[in-house]
Amino acid sequence: MSILQTKINTNSAAYKDNYQKMLSKIEEMNKHLKQSLFQGEEKHISKAKSQGKLLARERIEMLLDQDSPFLELCPLAGLGVKGGFGTGGTMVAGIGFVSNKMCMITANVGTNKGGAIDIATLKKAIRISEIASENNLPGINLVESAGANLPDQAQLFNLGGNNFKNITRHSKKGLPTISIVFGNSTAGGAYIPGMSDYTIFIKDKAKVFLAGPPLVKMATNEIVDDETLGGAEMHSKISGVSDYLAQDELDGIRIARELMSNLNTENKSQISNLTSHIYKEPNYPIDELLGIVSVDVKIPFDCREVIARIVDGSEFHEFKKEYGTSLVCGYANIHGYPIAIIGNNGVLFNDTANKGAHFIQLCNMNHTPILFLQNITGFMVGKQYEQNGIIKDGAKMINAVSNSEVPMFTLMMGASYGAGNYAMCGRAYNPRFLFSYPNSMIAVMGAEQLAGVMQMVSKEAAIKSGQQYDEAQATQMKEFMKAEIEKQSNAFFASGQLWDDGIIDPRDTRNVLGLVLALTYMNEVKGTSSYGVYRM
């Protein structure tokens, strides 16, 4: 394959200025990630420690294989959501290695609101379950949850059933779930171990019941203590809800690790696979992405410069290089794993849309996963392009993305506007993983354009109705709308709404992609030759 040659001058003022601005964005990202580390008020943490309990993140650390990677997912879920339990919700989740097998791990943060589930935490749990299913990952749940947050019950009730349904569907697929219960797990929290393949209860700590003693007293007038009603020994010796009675938390984690080592899962995800490939590092430092990827989404950059810093040996076999030049398509390897790449170098025209559709078809025929590098303001508009059929040509690319069956991954590097988001495999098109850079923006269109269009519509409506149009007031309103739209378009707002699976530091791009590709190639990669009707 050809080796990409950089054209970047790392000594230029523009490069250095952008580098510093990206560092500021990363600092903002890290501030929010620090918020997601919150595990409850000090009094609740001290109480847990006095009872010999580990915190949620400590439990994950003890569960994971020593010095193995852990890819945390959706850490900013709930960021900025009013009335919620805060950034990250009351759950930590991610992919890591346990007994040399890649697993989906979730941990309730029992020291924050008793591990109760708010709407952001529930949506996060559902997304985590989707990822586990798509990637054939066995699951380990570290359970300590008061169940649904009752004031949110109207939002939670119908969605909540998905978690229980998905555990059983994973089991049907041969993807077992192990649940370790560390403390009180009530109502919906009780059904998580109840639906799992294997359950481990911590002696004197696990308390699992559909209704605790107060509700039992209210419902049946029966007086019973929590140990008799739902303690670990009762469930291990009488009810059979518990399969293993662990002496303490470390013993419970030990049992889970032993169980995972003996499970014959469909995912043959051995950690040795990650190091079995021989590959070359890129020819250019990945740190240079901070100066290359424009913090201001209105300033273009060449996506080949990004590709040169994330693929093995900076080698890239480009497809149709001279045709449809605002879309870059080609083949490469990342950490030794074959990958097709589709990246934006400007707006999508008729020829670029056709090129993209063609290349997606070829990737499916070749059974090659696709990475979409998004920096797109949308499809080109105007009389010439409408008459040339931009709608039908754009529809071809969206058709190809919609019906593609190879694993697809999306990285939002800059703008992600309008139907360009769809054609480049946005959230609605179910990429296996979708990550964002902290500078990225997502919306129907840019804030300036959207506010301007709304102003024009308002002016036309006033003229048609015979009302006086106040230009000064309209300009003021436009600036207000622009500011509000920008707030709702930035990467942090989007991540808080679970529109991505996490915001990443550009310098981590290669390693994050390497991990998800290793996971992808532990399963069979299949494409399709069947598509819907293309409007010609």
Side-chain angles (χ1 to χ4, degrees):
M1 287 191 279
S2 300
I3 297 176
L4 292 169
Q5 301 297 321
T6 188
K7 297 178 181 177
I8 297 297
N9 177 8
T10 57
N11 292 316
S12 70
Y15 173 91
K16 291 178 178 179
D17 179 61
N18 194 78
Y19 193 102
Q20 291 303 316
K21 288 178 178 176
M22 186 64 84
L23 283 179
S24 296
K25 283 289 182 183
I26 292 169
E27 186 178 339
E28 185 179 359
M29 176 190 75
N30 288 334
K31 180 189 75 173
H32 292 308
L33 288 174
K34 188 175 181 179
Q35 293 170 354
S36 75
L37 300 178
F38 179 73
Q39 296 191 86
E41 296 177 12
E42 186 56 41
K43 62 181 179 180
H44 299 308
I45 291 174
S46 296
K47 182 180 178 181
K49 292 289 187 182
S50 70
Q51 295 173 341
K53 289 184 174 183
L54 298 169
L55 300 182
R57 291 180 179 275
E58 293 172 334
R59 289 166 180 165
I60 292 174
E61 188 175 349
M62 296 302 297
L63 178 68
L64 291 169
D65 294 350
Q66 188 172 359
D67 298 326
S68 66
F70 179 67
L71 178 62
E72 186 170 349
L73 297 168
C74 308
L76 301 186
L79 172 63
V81 176
K82 292 181 179 179
F85 288 164
T87 305
T90 55
M91 174 191 287
V92 182
I95 298 170
F97 287 90
V98 178
S99 297
N100 219 27
K101 291 176 183 164
M102 207 179 283
C103 305
M104 181 64 80
I105 301 165
T106 65
N108 299 120
V109 183
T111 46
N112 184 16
K113 309 293 184 182
I117 307 298
D118 66 345
I119 188 63
T121 306
L122 176 56
K123 289 181 177 179
K124 177 176 177 175
I126 291 171
R127 175 58 187 152
I128 294 300
S129 181
E130 288 175 353
I131 293 172
S133 181
E134 288 173 343
N135 293 280
N136 290 322
L137 288 168
I140 301 178
N141 296 328
L142 310 181
V143 184
E144 186 172 10
S145 172
N149 182 40
L150 294 181
D152 293 338
Q153 64 86 26
Q155 291 178 285
L156 296 169
F157 182 66
N158 286 315
L159 274 179
N162 281 281
N163 276 344
F164 314 135
K165 175 187 71 177
N166 290 340
I167 290 173
T168 63
R169 288 190 169 180
H170 292 174
S171 182
K172 181 180 176 181
K173 285 180 67 177
L175 303 174
T177 299
I178 299 170
S179 283
I180 313 175
V181 184
F182 293 92
N184 287 341
S185 296
T186 309
Y191 272 113
I192 296 296
M195 306 297 287
S196 298
D197 297 76
Y198 299 92
T199 57
I200 303 163
F201 283 34
I202 310 302
K203 185 178 180 181
D204 300 328
K205 299 292 191 297
K207 305 289 191 298
V208 178
F209 24 62
L210 296 184
L215 184 53
V216 169
K217 175 69 166 62
M218 183 178 292
T220 68
N221 209 33
E222 181 183 11
I223 298 175
V224 61
D225 65 88
D226 57 5
E227 185 65 40
T228 304
L229 184 65
E233 289 200 67
M234 186 283 289
H235 281 305
S236 298
K237 298 175 180 179
I238 300 174
S239 77
V241 175
S242 168
D243 302 319
Y244 299 90
L245 179 62
Q247 296 305 303
D248 55 30
E249 295 203 6
L250 292 180
D251 188 42
I253 291 169
R254 176 193 63 79
I255 293 169
R257 287 182 52 80
E258 280 189 13
L259 258 176
M260 187 54 67
S261 69
N262 286 295
L263 295 182
N264 184 23
T265 64
E266 286 191 8
N267 182 309
K268 312 301 181 185
S269 46
Q270 301 299 314
I271 195 167
S272 57
N273 288 8
L274 280 172
T275 56
S276 63
H277 286 75
I278 298 174
Y279 54 83
K280 295 181 286 186
E281 291 295 325
N283 290 349
Y284 310 102
I286 199 164
D287 175 77
E288 292 178 353
L289 290 182
L290 304 192
I292 292 168
V293 176
S294 301
V295 171
D296 184 347
V297 297
K298 295 189 288 292
I299 299 175
F301 62 92
D302 188 347
C303 71
R304 293 182 187 87
E305 297 288 355
V306 175
I307 295 169
R309 287 158 179 82
I310 65 173
V311 303
D312 297 352
S314 300
E315 294 178 341
F316 185 58
H317 176 83
E318 189 163 348
F319 173 75
K320 284 176 109 70
K321 184 176 181 179
E322 285 75 29
Y323 179 82
T325 54
S326 67
L327 193 70
V328 175
C329 303
Y331 297 105
N333 293 280
I334 297 177
H335 281 272
Y337 297 102
I339 185 75
I341 299 175
I342 300 176
N344 298 123
N345 260 4
V347 69
L348 290 167
F349 296 91
N350 300 75
D351 55 357
T352 48
N354 284 315
K355 173 180 173 177
H358 184 184
F359 188 64
I360 292 166
Q361 286 181 301
L362 293 173
C363 293
N364 275 266
M365 296 293 286
N366 197 44
H367 309 294
T368 306
I370 305 171
L371 169 64
F372 291 84
L373 299 177
Q374 280 196 9
N375 182 28
I376 180 65
T377 55
F379 288 95
M380 191 62 189
V381 297
K383 182 179 75 173
Q384 174 188 344
Y385 303 100
E386 294 289 3
Q387 291 181 352
N388 286 341
I390 189 66
I391 294 173
K392 64 181 177 64
D393 290 333
K396 292 173 196 171
M397 188 170 175
I398 294 173
N399 185 330
V401 171
S402 303
N403 290 291
S404 173
E405 293 183 9
V406 294
M408 298 185 292
F409 316 97
T410 301
L411 176 61
M412 295 201 301
M413 307 185 302
S416 180
Y417 293 149
N421 170 279
Y422 304 159
M424 291 295 292
C425 198
R427 173 59 96 201
Y429 292 80
N430 300 319
R432 289 279 183 96
F433 292 93
L434 191 158
F435 297 106
S436 304
Y437 282 167
N439 60 299
S440 64
M441 303 287 285
I442 177 172
V444 171
M445 62 183 75
E448 180 73 38
Q449 291 79 11
L450 185 51
V453 168
M454 292 173 70
Q455 183 184 31
M456 290 170 64
V457 170
S458 175
K459 184 175 183 177
E460 288 178 8
I463 293 171
K464 285 182 180 178
S465 62
Q467 296 177 353
Q468 187 176 0
Y469 185 72
D470 189 328
E471 289 283 359
Q473 185 180 18
T475 300
Q476 189 177 9
M477 181 59 68
K478 177 185 175 183
E479 290 305 309
F480 173 78
M481 286 190 296
K482 180 181 172 184
E484 287 300 303
I485 293 163
E486 285 178 346
K487 282 183 192 174
Q488 296 178 18
S489 303
N490 69 48
F492 303 110
F493 180 88
S495 202
Q497 301 295 315
L498 285 148
W499 296 347
D500 64 20
D501 298 318
I503 302 175
I504 63 172
D505 185 324
R507 294 169 292 191
D508 294 331
T509 306
R510 180 169 160 82
N511 287 337
V512 169
L513 292 174
L515 184 63
V516 299
L517 281 172
L519 172 58
T520 298
Y521 276 98
M522 287 166 186
N523 301 288
E524 186 178 2
V525 176
K526 293 182 179 179
T528 182
S529 58
S530 177
Y531 287 87
V533 172
Y534 281 62
R535 184 173 294 279
M536 305 306 289

